[in-house]
Amino acid sequence: MTSRDVVDRPAPVADRRRSKRHGRQRTWPAFWVFVGPFLAGLILFTFVPIVWSAVLSFFDAHNTVTPTTFVGLANYVDMLTNSDFLASLGTFSVFAVFIVPTTVAISLGLALLVHRLRFARAFFRSVFFLPAACSYVVAALIWKLSIFNGVRFGLANTLLGLFGIDQVPWLSSASPPWYWVALVTLRLWLQVGFYMVLFLAGLQRIPGELYEAAYVDGARPGWQVFRYITLPQLRATTVAVVLLNLIAAYQAFDEFYNLMSSARGYPPFARPPLVYLYFTALGQGQDFGHGSAGAVILALLIGIVTVLQARLFGFGRRD
């Protein structure tokens, strides 16, 4: 046996396992240095509050987060029979009816327009996406103080004045509910660009051969190609956009609170679930028990609606 045969002989299995184990041991410290702080923050500020909120929902917790009086499901029964909480779910339903189909239609339309551009595509994609990086609080204050402030100097009333239309109290009138115009336009401005990018990614995944085959078969460009080629290929993206929109609508808080609240407090109308739970748990009574029960109900409702809609539209299923 030559020295070359000894060098070329594969290392024993035990040696290879030992080297892999030593390699993993060397990478563990670096792994925990990068992941450890994030994981600790996630457990401390997310998982622990979620678990403790579920625990509080079974106790009579007024002005304390360490209650001792166990009430069982009484808080859940109270919330499910509370007319104000049910009205907040109705407010969400109206908001979702406005915001979900409008967002899908506008974002899909913008994605189609940007996708067909021959030049400056990256510029327009960035311009439409830029509002998604804006803070909800900042955008709500701009809408409230500059556009829909209800006085003649506001942008909306100034434009109406050019056509001889009287001033509109956008945020203080419950009948007619003009506040929906401000709430819906604000949410659309903030989120349409994000969902446009999702649709753009879906459009770029559609093979060009499908369109070529359709044109060879006599399909007319425009609505016919969109209906039978583009829209079916975007089914998974559309379902994802609808699901994300519904979840975001359930979690609406910033725009409602910052637009509708004033020095006199929050009005008795236009209260989505999170705004109602905010005043329940952090208002004058600080009823953490009922607030936590409402939060658990809302989380379960979001999960049930998401699963049902995903099953209905076949999200994640092979075509």
Side-chain angles (χ1 to χ4, degrees), residues 141-188:
L141 292 177
I142 293 174
W143 249 245
K144 181 178 182 178
L145 300 177
S146 301
I147 302 178
F148 296 101
N149 56 8
V151 298
R152 63 187 181 92
F153 299 109
L155 179 60
N157 281 336
T158 300
L159 294 176
L160 293 178
L162 297 177
F163 298 95
I165 302 176
D166 295 334
Q167 300 178 26
V168 175
W170 297 102
L171 302 176
S172 59
S173 174
S175 181
W178 292 113
Y179 55 85
W180 284 118
V181 177
L183 290 168
V184 172
T185 54
L186 173 60
R187 176 60 76 94
L188 288 175

Side-chain angles (χ1 to χ4, degrees), residues 204-229:
Q204 293 171 359
R205 293 178 60 250
I206 301 177
E209 293 82 1
L210 293 178
Y211 294 104
E212 296 174 1
Y215 295 144
V216 170
D217 291 339
R220 293 188 299 272
W223 170 249
Q224 194 173 23
V225 172
F226 172 76
R227 179 182 177 185
Y228 293 104
I229 302 295

Side-chain angles (χ1 to χ4, degrees), residues 80-306:
L80 291 175
T81 56
N82 189 318
S83 59
D84 292 334
F85 180 67
L86 297 179
S88 70
L89 295 178
T91 300
F92 150 75
S93 302
V94 174
F95 184 62
V97 166
F98 280 127
I99 205 67
V100 173
T102 309
T103 299
V104 173
I106 295 178
S107 57
L108 178 57
L110 289 176
L112 291 171
L113 291 176
V114 174
H115 184 67
R116 294 183 179 182
L117 290 176
R118 299 298 181 183
F119 61 92
R121 180 184 298 178
F123 169 76
F124 286 102
R125 183 174 62 238
S126 301
V127 168
F128 289 127
F129 180 78
L130 192 60
C134 182
S135 167
Y136 272 60
V137 176
V138 173
L141 292 177
I142 293 174
W143 249 245
K144 181 178 182 178
L145 300 177
S146 301
I147 302 178
F148 296 101
N149 56 8
V151 298
R152 63 187 181 92
F153 299 109
L155 179 60
N157 281 336
T158 300
L159 294 176
L160 293 178
L162 297 177
F163 298 95
I165 302 176
D166 295 334
Q167 300 178 26
V168 175
W170 297 102
L171 302 176
S172 59
S173 174
S175 181
W178 292 113
Y179 55 85
W180 284 118
V181 177
L183 290 168
V184 172
T185 54
L186 173 60
R187 176 60 76 94
L188 288 175
W189 184 77
L190 285 167
Q191 71 180 15
V192 159
F194 172 75
Y195 295 113
M196 180 205 69
V197 172
L198 296 185
F199 277 119
L200 270 176
L203 288 171
Q204 293 171 359
R205 293 178 60 250
I206 301 177
E209 293 82 1
L210 293 178
Y211 294 104
E212 296 174 1
Y215 295 144
V216 170
D217 291 339
R220 293 188 299 272
W223 170 249
Q224 194 173 23
V225 172
F226 172 76
R227 179 182 177 185
Y228 293 104
I229 302 295
T230 305
L231 197 58
Q233 292 295 316
L234 291 175
R235 182 181 63 85
T237 304
T238 304
V239 174
V241 169
V242 172
L243 288 176
L244 292 174
N245 262 290
L246 275 177
I247 295 174
Y250 270 113
Q251 297 174 341
F253 176 81
D254 292 338
E255 62 268 50
F256 279 86
Y257 184 80
N258 290 282
L259 270 176
M260 304 302 298
S261 61
S262 63
R264 293 171 295 181
Y266 198 95
F269 52 87
R271 289 192 177 191
L274 284 185
V275 172
Y276 174 78
L277 295 177
Y278 170 80
F279 285 103
T280 300
L282 300 177
Q284 294 181 352
Q286 291 192 349
D287 189 353
F288 297 113
H290 285 93
S292 298
V296 173
I297 292 173
L298 184 61
L300 292 175
L301 188 60
I302 293 175
I304 292 172
V305 171
T306 302

